[in-house]
Amino acid sequence: SSNADNVAIVDPVPANTSFVVGSHTVAPAGTVEYSNDGGATWTHVPTDSGDGTDPTLTHMRISYAAIAAASGALSTFQVIIQ
């Protein structure tokens, strides 16, 4: 087995939900970027709209230089159903 190099995981926020700001966890640590335009750009900063959520966030991307063979990566987040 060999490492998986230059891995990017793109996670969409489900339709009709709002992302809970601060709820995203990633293991192992990677570079996390957010989008509010369907993944066209990755410069969005999740911002609380007043109810603890960012309803404009559409996708999350986690990038890794390498993931060791026989291991994995986990990304979790919470949403509120609208």
Side-chain angles (χ1 to χ4, degrees):
S1 294
S2 61
N3 292 347
D5 296 324
N6 300 314
V7 175
I9 300 167
V10 176
D11 230 346
V13 175
N16 303 311
T17 67
S18 293
F19 173 76
V20 176
V21 176
S23 70
H24 193 196
T25 63
V26 178
T31 301
V32 180
E33 299 168 292
Y34 299 96
S35 176
N36 65 345
D37 59 12
T41 61
W42 297 98
T43 57
H44 182 69
V45 176
T47 304
D48 185 340
S49 65
D51 64 357
T53 70
D54 182 345
T56 68
L57 195 140
T58 62
H59 290 75
M60 291 161 272
R61 177 170 68 185
I62 306 97
S63 300
Y64 299 95
I67 297 176
S71 68
L74 177 66
S75 169
T76 64
F77 60 93
Q78 295 176 357
V79 297
I80 300 292
I81 298 171
Q82 297 173 345

